[in-house]
Amino acid sequence: MANPSPWRATVLTLFPEMFPGPLGVSLAGRALASGLWEIEARDIRASATDRHRSVDDTPAGGGPGMVLRADVLAAAIDAAEIASDRPRLLMSPRGRPLTQTLVADLAKGPGPLIVCGRFEGIDQRVIDGRGLEEVSIGDYVLSGGEIAALALIDACVRLLPGVMGKEASGTEESFSDGLLEYPQYTRPQLFEGVPIPEILTSGDHAKVASWRRAQSEALTAARRPDLWAQIPPKPANRSGRQKTPKNKTDG
C-alpha cells in the first residue's frame, strides 16, 4: 500500500549545500523531480544562539577536537518538527550496520530524520534525549555524516514504488535474499576471446535460474563468509553429503 504522502528525508547538517547533490541526478533525481520523494536539508547552525553562531565546544574531560553542542543540536531537531512515526537516525561509525533489510524497512515508512555529525561527534545527551538510532555504513571514519546520509537515502529511494523501471530490478540484487548477486553479461557475445556462458543463451529459464543461484552461493561463500554462515544449509543428498557451492562460471 502506497504512502499517503511522498517519502521524505529530513537531513540536519552543517553543510546543507551538499544536498541533494548526487541524489539530484539519474534515477533518484528523476524521482525527486516527479514528486515520488522529497528531501529537506536543514542547517544545524541556524539553531545557534550566540553572535558567532557557535555549534561546537571542547570535549568534557579533555582530548582532541570538538564536539557538537547538546543545546544547539537538540534545538535543531526540535525545530524540524517531524512526526513521531518517523525514524530519527544518526550516521555514526559505531552504529547499527546499514543492511538491505534495514533499507527496505526505512523505504516502507514515511522517511527518516537524519543527523549528520561532524568533528569528534555529538553530545551523548542528545542521542539519548532525542531517541537517535545510530547507523553505520561501514567500519571506517568519514569527515562527517553527509556522505553516509547520501548513501542511505539513495539505497532507500531506489526501492520506492515507481522509481525503478522494472519491479524485478530490486529483487534480484546483492543482499535481496541474503546472497551476493550473480555475474552479469551482455553483448557482444565474444569479448577479448571470452564468450558469454553458454547456459545464459540457451533459452532454458530453469537452468539459467539454477546457474545464477549457484553463482550467487559460490560468490557469497568465497567473498562474504559472514553472510554465507547465515544461509540455512541445504538438505543432504542421497550420499548423505551436503551440497557445497562451486566457484565456476562456465555452462
Side-chain angles (χ1 to χ4, degrees), residues 182-192 194-198 200-201 211-212:
Y182 48 80
Q184 296 281 11
Y185 298 87
T186 188
R187 288 187 289 270
Q189 171 65 30
L190 190 68
F191 173 69
E192 295 184 347
V194 181
I196 296 174
E198 185 177 345
L200 296 181
T201 58
W211 180 90
R212 285 174 169 171

Side-chain angles (χ1 to χ4, degrees), residues 15-236:
F15 300 98
E17 63 272 18
M18 293 181 68
F19 298 88
L23 298 173
V25 298
S26 189
L27 208 66
R30 290 194 296 270
L32 182 62
S34 62
L36 293 178
W37 71 286
E38 299 175 351
I39 186 168
E40 177 189 21
R42 300 177 63 92
D43 191 350
I44 295 172
R45 201 174 296 276
S47 295
T49 57
D50 67 347
R51 64 190 182 92
H52 299 294
R53 301 182 74 199
S54 302
V55 297
D56 59 339
D57 210 328
T58 56
M66 303 292 279
V67 177
L68 276 173
R69 291 174 51 129
D71 53 348
V72 175
L73 184 54
I77 294 172
D78 295 343
E81 297 184 331
I82 67 165
S84 60
D85 63 335
R86 295 180 63 191
R88 297 183 175 198
L89 309 179
L90 168 65
M91 306 313 300
S92 165
R94 72 180 191 181
R96 170 186 178 184
L98 181 64
T99 64
Q100 193 65 20
T101 298
L102 176 55
V103 165
D105 288 342
L106 291 171
K108 291 175 184 176
L113 174 139
I114 306 173
V115 176
C116 299
R118 279 274 161 175
F119 315 122
E120 293 301 311
I122 74 174
D123 192 302
Q124 182 66 38
R125 292 171 294 180
V126 181
I127 300 175
D128 298 335
R130 295 300 183 271
L132 300 182
E133 178 184 2
E134 297 181 68
V135 177
S136 170
I137 64 168
D139 296 336
Y140 45 85
V141 179
L142 299 170
S143 298
E146 288 78 13
I147 292 175
L150 289 168
L152 183 149
I153 296 169
D154 180 79
C156 291
V157 166
R158 61 193 307 279
L159 297 186
L160 299 178
V163 173
M164 286 194 288
K166 295 182 179 180
E167 292 295 328
S169 296
T171 60
E172 297 184 2
E173 300 177 316
S174 291
F175 314 116
S176 59
D177 59 358
L179 298 171
L180 300 183
E181 189 178 10
Y182 48 80
Q184 296 281 11
Y185 298 87
T186 188
R187 288 187 289 270
Q189 171 65 30
L190 190 68
F191 173 69
E192 295 184 347
V194 181
I196 296 174
E198 185 177 345
I199 196 169
L200 296 181
T201 58
S202 66
D204 190 324
H205 298 297
K207 288 184 177 179
V208 169
S210 178
W211 180 90
R212 285 174 169 171
R213 176 74 186 191
Q215 292 297 309
S216 288
E217 291 178 349
L219 284 169
T220 305
R223 298 182 183 181
R224 290 293 303 274
D226 58 321
L227 293 177
W228 181 247
Q230 300 176 39
I231 304 297
K234 289 184 176 181

Side-chain angles (χ1 to χ4, degrees), residues 1-7 110:
M1 183 175 180
N3 290 326
S5 58
W7 189 89

